[in-house]
Amino acid sequence: MPYQIIVCGGLAPDPLQTLEPVFDPARPSLKNELMLPAVFDPWAAHALYEAGHLARQHPGSVVRVVSLAPKAKLQQVMMTVAQKLPLELVALDGPGGGFTDAAAVAAALADAIAAMPDLDRSRLLLFGGWESATRGAGAVMQRVAERLGITEQFLAVDELSVEADGSLLVKERIEGGRHQISRCSSPPVMLAWATGNLPEPPNHPQTGMANMRVIMPALQKAKPVALEPAAEFLRTALPSVIRQTRVVKDVPAAEIAREIAEWIRQ
Amino acid sequence: MHEELTDQPQAQPLDADIVCTGFGPAVAGFLRTLTQGLQKPEMAGVESKAMPGLPPQIVCYERADDISFGVSGVVTRARAIRNSIPGLDPAEIPLAARVRDEQLIYLLDPWGVTRRPAWMRLADQLCRAFSGVLGVAHEGLALPWVPEFLHKQDGFIFSLGQFNQWVGQQVMMSGLAQIWPATPVASPLIEEDRVAGVRLAADGSEVRAALTVVGDGPVGAVGRQLDGHFGMPAGHRRDEWAVGMKMVIDLPESCTLEEGTVWHTIGFPEPEIFGFLYVHPGRIASAGIFVPSWMDSPVRTSYRYLQHFIQHPYLWRHLKGGRLRSWGAKSLLESGRRGEPFLAGHGYARIGECSGSTNVLTGSGVDEAWLTGTQLAEAVLELLREGKPFTRENLENTYVARRRASWLERESQTAERARNGFQWGLLPGFLGMALAGLTGGRLSLPRPREDRHPKKLADYYAGRLSRSEIERARRRAEAEARPLHDILMDLCGWPPVEYDGQLLVSHQDALLMGGKVQAPADFPDHVVFRSPQLCLQCEAHLCVEICSGEAIRISPENPAGVPAFDREKCVHCGACLWNCPVSNIEFCAAPGGLHSAEN
């Protein structure tokens, strides 16, 4: 059965950057936020790789990415993401980062999905990250699903497989390193992915060039979205960091473990 | 586990009209000028030959993971940039500021450990003896004037990374050009005397285009392969380089330096090493050094020199208590116009640093690179408008002719022989530079027949360290997997670097804190030692000592053998390539490299 897989995913500053919050009377933000290198949110990226894999297993499936982010940054990030797997894009031009309200973001995403003219709910798999690298509210995907009337919701998903009868087998991460396994008879279903278990696909310039023929028009049509802040931020600050780094090579695992244990004892 | 995603489409040739390699200031200038020009009414009838009915298809492939990675703090007169962007307000670009206060500082040797020649030691003594008269303070002398040829008046301080991203966003939002990051170009497609496009490293895709714009910097794979195939114009060579290494520093609250401050320094940490300090908006400074190829030390790890540079009392009073924000290194092509390749041929044109545009006299290159990009864009617009093909003759009559008629050509000629003196020694070097600069290039020193190469260790340290001490240091470096340079500097009396965990951190911590390295798993190593036999015969191992990330090491188990390369530490500076005394290193196209927010 071909699926309509919709992946909700925003942008996050490249996790390798040093981020610094700044606070002005309007709202907090990151210093030079629009000039920081950005990536597709790593949590959503796992969902996207899983979506691409599932789509290839079920011919006729399509992967659509719905993304709320500053348009210029979204275009830049898409130049990399589009090289990884075939996808379509629904772009919403609005504020990104960690200082947006989960309910407002969810409403904008749900409205964009509901407005898709050819949406077939009987084949709809709604994917997203369980949390976000910008702010781990862990609430957006549930709210999107609720607004779309999708009651089958799975959080912290690590694995999805389609059974012979078309039912979906979902592994959700629970406490103690265990999985809760559920069977769901059919779409529509929402899956908020944890880490998944697929690697990041390598870049494939051919895929990218093909994707951009549909992504560029989508970006040009990006609908502006203004998110009203529902929360009042009182202050922002960098977390205090304590780091003792020593880079070693060729040290046996047992020696590293002994050293860590000794450090913990101290 | 799921199976790996391997069913990617087969690589088929892609067709474009213009393909660019590398996204630095030259290609940024090219694409901005080109995309703006294509939007003018007179270009309305121009359509793609690769995809008839559409506008010209313009793609740019950049090796790094984003278009904002560029390791350089830049101070520039920005004549070409301002000409392209009238009314440019630096406040639009993070870390950009107008140059306000520019000084040339002579740094004395505060610890008596540098390799100063006698005349420079005498100069230090005189400075100290007449400190009150001369205004020497904190072991530094602010010279009363900055030579006209060095001056950056009316210019800007930039972060190259931020500037690239700012321009890149404008280019992409035009919808007329695509910039693909994380997509290194492996090689040009050369068909007899014509360049027909490029081959991508990721999957071997051929991208065929009527025009290939090569702007992949001093160590770019495409530019080097073109040089190998077409050769260089008579008398032109690429043999002068430098490693530029830089820290971006959050200044402490106590710092009183104002934004727009520019210091050029000479004299420390070694007399051959130039330094700089620029103050950006927001209490941020760029501090760095240039370690040139004419410094004849066989061990010249730049990082420790950089640490000592920032601790010089003249700088440290402002920097102490600061925090390392970003760090990086790159190779600079110091050959300038002398290293200029054929600028255009059938189907291709060269712009930017790989086209020899760096002004070695003023030590600046970004504005010059930008200018070459805009000149090529104007030429391309002219050829597109007139429906002429991108032949050598047409590109020479449009692009090369514009370049030859511009201030870039005049200043390049002035600077062409400005560095000659350094091949004779330090004093002739400064004299030669001043001579060329002050006479507009009419007078300069001749160049020796033989280029200056690093000495052997024993010769370099003669009179300071005995052969047995050097040998013991070498064994210690191998046993402790430390750079030999570090140990030799200790033995010569350089004070140990007291790490504060904020600004003074180990080289490896600098990689983690400010120069985070991303090494994709699906590419082969890009630093390859061609012949193990040559490495076995090499005593110098300059590749190890110059490596900006300590990514190339001699293994303790195999001290005489082929060095080991760790790409998780490689910052893509390319210094190993030009320092290898036996030309045994292949530096291939690879993605990844340095991740730093504020380069």
Side-chain angles (χ1 to χ4, degrees):
Chain A
M1 170 179 170
Y3 295 105
Q4 291 190 353
I5 311 173
I6 294 176
V7 181
C8 299
L11 309 184
D14 184 331
L16 291 173
Q17 303 303 316
T18 303
L19 307 177
E20 184 177 333
V22 289
F23 200 80
D24 64 45
R27 67 194 313 168
S29 60
L30 296 173
K31 190 169 183 179
N32 297 334
E33 186 167 350
L34 285 181
M35 283 291 159
L36 285 169
V39 295
F40 197 60
D41 191 299
W43 292 82
H46 287 300
L48 180 63
Y49 307 151
E50 297 282 346
H53 181 71
L54 193 68
R56 276 200 302 283
Q57 288 180 326
H58 298 272
S61 299
V62 291
V63 177
R64 290 189 181 125
V65 172
V66 182
S67 194
L68 169 60
K71 190 163 113 178
K73 296 299 289 182
L74 186 57
Q75 177 168 22
Q76 203 173 322
V77 170
M78 277 297 136
M79 299 304 289
T80 306
V81 176
Q83 295 189 55
K84 298 186 182 299
L85 69 163
L87 59 89
E88 295 172 13
L89 176 71
V90 176
L92 301 174
D93 186 12
F99 302 103
T100 49
D101 178 62
V105 171
L109 294 174
D111 289 349
I113 294 167
M116 289 177 182
D118 53 351
L119 191 66
D120 180 353
R121 284 170 187 259
S122 69
R123 295 193 289 146
L124 175 61
L125 299 180
L126 180 63
F127 280 23
W130 178 33
E131 294 199 59
S132 159
T134 51
R135 200 173 62 151
V140 172
M141 289 311 300
Q142 295 164 71
R143 286 173 178 264
V144 173
E146 281 160 16
R147 293 181 78 100
L148 293 172
I150 300 172
T151 53
E152 302 302 327
Q153 301 184 5
F154 299 92
L155 303 177
V157 176
D158 270 346
E159 196 172 316
L160 167 70
S161 51
V162 181
E163 300 292 282
D165 63 355
S167 61
L168 304 166
L169 206 62
V170 183
K171 274 189 187 177
E172 284 173 287
R173 186 179 292 186
I174 54 173
E175 285 183 12
R178 290 163 172 250
H179 281 109
Q180 171 175 290
I181 302 176
S182 309
R183 187 187 299 274
C184 178
S185 60
S186 65
V189 61
M190 185 281 281
L191 293 100
W193 287 86
T195 55
N197 57 17
L198 289 179
E200 180 172 336
N203 282 0
H204 195 289
Q206 305 266 339
T207 306
M209 293 291 279
N211 275 339
M212 285 316 280
R213 299 207 176 103
V214 290
I215 288 176
M216 289 296 283
L219 281 161
Q220 280 162 10
K221 289 188 294 191
K223 186 180 153 193
V225 175
L227 299 179
E228 290 304 317
E232 184 186 356
F233 293 89
L234 298 178
R235 70 184 184 92
T236 57
L238 276 177
S240 59
V241 178
I242 299 173
R243 194 175 60 82
Q244 293 172 308
T245 306
R246 192 159 65 86
V247 177
V248 293
K249 290 277 179 184
D250 306 327
V251 175
E255 175 63 17
I256 294 173
R258 188 198 59 72
E259 203 173 302
I260 293 172
E262 192 177 305
W263 178 77
I264 292 170
R265 265 190 229 110
Q266 288 171 359
Chain B
M1 280 294 281
H2 292 286
E3 64 190 61
E4 291 223 354
L5 301 175
T6 55
D7 52 344
Q8 297 287 356
Q10 290 291 309
Q12 301 289 332
L14 297 166
D15 288 320
D17 293 284
I18 297 172
V19 61
C20 308
T21 64
F23 186 78
V27 175
F30 173 73
L31 290 176
R32 188 181 188 280
T33 307
L34 184 64
T35 53
Q36 289 208 331
L38 285 171
Q39 296 174 63
K40 291 184 176 164
E42 64 265 28
M43 301 301 293
V46 174
E47 66 177 47
S48 168
K49 286 202 166 57
M51 294 184 190
L54 293 174
Q57 299 294 295
I58 303 159
V59 290
C60 170
Y61 294 107
E62 161 58 33
R63 171 190 65 74
D65 293 354
D66 204 335
I67 58 172
S68 62
F69 299 126
V71 186
S72 185
V74 177
V75 60
T76 173
R77 292 180 67 180
R79 285 170 287 176
I81 293 172
R82 285 186 299 174
N83 191 40
S84 299
I85 313 171
L88 172 63
D89 179 4
E92 291 178 35
I93 313 166
L95 301 185
R98 278 186 195 282
V99 173
R100 286 185 184 160
D101 176 28
E102 187 179 17
Q103 288 192 315
L104 178 59
I105 317 281
Y106 173 71
L107 297 177
L108 284 67
D109 178 356
W111 305 310
V113 291
T114 71
R115 295 174 55 257
R116 279 168 142 63
W119 65 269
M120 206 176 238
R121 287 199 298 272
L122 178 64
D124 280 14
Q125 287 170 6
L126 289 173
C127 282
R128 290 191 182 102
F130 299 101
S131 60
V133 180
L134 296 172
V136 175
H138 307 283
E139 296 288 300
L141 169 64
L143 299 177
W145 59 286
V146 179
E148 179 62 26
F149 63 85
L150 273 183
H151 235 303
K152 305 293 191 298
Q153 71 267 40
D154 304 325
F156 294 109
I157 298 169
F158 278 126
S159 147
L160 186 53
Q162 300 291 341
F163 179 70
N164 282 349
Q165 180 157 209
W166 182 72
V167 177
Q169 284 181 1
Q170 295 171 14
V171 168
M172 281 201 281
M173 290 310 290
S174 75
L176 291 168
Q178 299 177 11
I179 307 171
W180 293 95
T183 313
V185 174
S187 58
L189 299 173
I190 302 175
E191 296 172 349
E192 297 180 352
D193 66 340
R194 177 172 170 270
V195 174
V198 296
R199 177 173 283 107
L200 304 181
D203 59 359
S205 297
E206 288 183 359
V207 184
R208 303 186 76 82
L211 176 66
T212 300
V213 176
V214 183
D216 59 356
V219 295
V222 176
R224 284 187 291 115
Q225 288 176 62
L226 290 180
D227 291 343
H229 184 85
F230 294 114
M232 297 282 277
H236 285 207
R237 290 172 64 190
R238 293 194 162 167
D239 51 8
E240 279 182 0
W241 300 81
V243 177
M245 187 174 277
K246 188 190 78 167
M247 289 176 174
V248 180
I249 298 167
D250 269 335
L251 294 169
E253 289 293 323
S254 58
C255 179
T256 54
L257 293 175
E258 293 190 5
E259 78 174 53
T261 300
V262 175
W263 288 353
H264 314 278
T265 74
I266 52 173
F268 188 85
E270 293 287 11
E272 297 93 338
I273 296 177
F274 300 103
F276 64 83
L277 177 81
Y278 314 145
V279 182
H280 301 277
R283 306 188 68 77
I284 292 173
S286 287
I289 54 172
F290 299 101
V291 182
S293 54
W294 60 75
M295 179 176 168
D296 55 2
S297 166
V299 281
R300 43 188 176 180
T301 306
S302 309
Y303 183 71
R304 181 154 175 191
Y305 276 139
L306 176 57
Q307 290 192 312
H308 285 304
F309 172 68
I310 63 172
Q311 289 184 85
H312 187 282
Y314 201 85
L315 282 76
W316 194 235
R317 63 194 161 124
H318 296 294
L319 302 181
K320 186 181 181 185
R323 187 171 66 89
L324 178 68
R325 191 175 181 89
S326 175
W327 164 85
K330 73 164 281 193
S331 283
L332 303 159
L333 191 57
E334 289 262 298
S335 295
R337 188 173 182 276
R338 189 166 164 272
E340 182 188 285
F342 293 107
L343 293 177
H346 292 307
Y348 80 94
R350 309 277 297 263
I351 56 175
E353 197 174 0
C354 77
S355 76
S357 62
T358 306
N359 188 336
V360 297
L361 182 57
T362 62
S364 59
V366 168
D367 196 40
E368 288 80 357
W370 176 276
L371 178 63
T372 62
T374 61
Q375 288 169 340
L376 178 61
E378 288 165 3
V380 167
L381 288 166
E382 183 182 327
L383 294 174
L384 286 173
R385 198 166 50 238
E386 296 175 2
K388 291 182 176 173
F390 298 115
T391 60
R392 175 186 295 135
E393 295 73 26
N394 286 342
L395 288 165
E396 282 181 349
N397 291 336
T398 51
Y399 164 52
V400 180
R402 279 179 167 82
R403 188 156 159 173
R404 296 291 180 235
S406 68
W407 57 261
L408 173 65
E409 181 73 5
R410 290 192 297 280
E411 294 188 4
S412 297
Q413 286 175 346
T414 299
E416 187 165 1
R417 290 182 290 277
R419 300 284 213 222
N420 281 1
F422 287 105
Q423 294 291 330
W424 297 101
L426 192 65
L427 185 58
F430 284 125
L431 289 174
M433 206 171 137
L435 202 60
L438 296 173
T439 65
R442 283 184 288 279
L443 295 176
S444 60
L445 294 181
R447 197 180 177 87
R449 282 171 185 266
E450 292 295 320
D451 287 323
R452 199 166 169 185
H453 291 297
K455 292 175 177 169
K456 294 198 166 185
L457 265 181
D459 297 334
Y460 183 78
Y461 283 102
R464 306 187 82 184
L465 297 174
S466 68
R467 283 176 184 274
S468 59
E469 281 177 308
I470 293 171
E471 196 46 43
R472 275 202 300 277
R474 192 194 295 278
R475 285 201 297 273
R476 216 176 117 201
E478 287 162 0
E480 297 173 10
R482 282 178 62 193
L484 178 58
H485 188 211
D486 252 359
I487 296 170
L488 292 173
M489 284 182 81
D490 290 345
L491 291 172
C492 287
W494 285 87
V497 176
E498 302 289 345
Y499 296 148
D500 60 16
Q502 292 286 315
L503 181 55
L504 298 173
V505 298
S506 74
H507 201 169
Q508 299 303 295
D509 271 1
L511 276 171
L512 292 165
M513 288 171 68
K516 304 171 190 76
V517 173
Q518 184 88 323
D522 50 334
F523 277 79
D525 280 348
H526 56 278
V527 171
V528 178
F529 300 91
R530 291 195 195 101
S531 162
Q533 201 56 36
L534 282 176
C535 286
L536 289 168
Q537 292 165 4
C538 175
E539 288 180 18
H541 286 314
L542 281 182
C543 58
V544 174
E545 298 302 332
I546 200 70
C547 180
S548 297
E550 293 184 36
I552 301 176
R553 301 293 285 264
I554 296 293
S555 161
E557 291 81 32
N558 189 17
V562 177
F565 173 63
D566 182 351
R567 64 180 176 184
E568 288 170 29
K569 297 178 183 172
C570 177
V571 298
H572 287 262
C573 76
C576 53
L577 178 71
W578 55 267
N579 272 278
C580 177
V582 288
S583 302
N584 193 34
I585 287 180
E586 183 60 53
F587 193 78
C588 309
L594 196 70
H595 278 234
S596 288
E598 292 176 336
N599 292 312

